Amino acid sequence: MFDVSVISAEVGLAKPDPAIYQLLLERLALPAETVAFIDDIEHNVEAAQEVGIVSVVHTDAATTRQWFAARVPQLEAQP
């Protein structure tokens, strides 16, 4: 289903360890500022932000969708 995945149990790392976010960026082969991270735990979001990943704390679907739409205009047209 996904082109890239990082499974904590397989890599021996877990959020909010910055190393897991760095590993994800390496596997994606993308700069941090082009990656979005969503989590409902604030310290996980803060850790992702510390490595440069654009991140948001998920509180509800509508708010998260709005956050994405503000950054990816093509999403505004999506129901």
Side-chain angles (χ1 to χ4, degrees):
M1 179 180 226
F2 300 100
D3 292 334
V4 173
S5 64
V6 176
I7 300 170
S8 298
E10 292 177 2
V11 300
L13 299 166
K15 300 177 289 185
D17 183 344
I20 197 164
Y21 303 105
Q22 292 292 353
L23 178 60
L24 174 66
L25 294 172
E26 290 172 19
R27 289 187 179 183
L28 289 170
L30 293 171
E33 64 274 6
T34 66
V35 175
F37 176 75
I38 303 165
D39 199 296
D40 62 344
I41 299 173
E42 190 166 345
H43 65 263
N44 291 340
V45 169
E46 291 168 353
Q49 289 171 337
E50 288 176 14
V51 299
I53 297 173
V54 179
S55 307
V56 65
V57 176
H58 174 77
T59 54
D60 60 81
T63 302
T64 299
R65 186 182 307 254
Q66 185 177 28
W67 180 86
F68 259 111
R71 286 153 183 81
V72 184
Q74 301 88 325
L75 294 177
E76 285 188 56
Q78 301 295 319

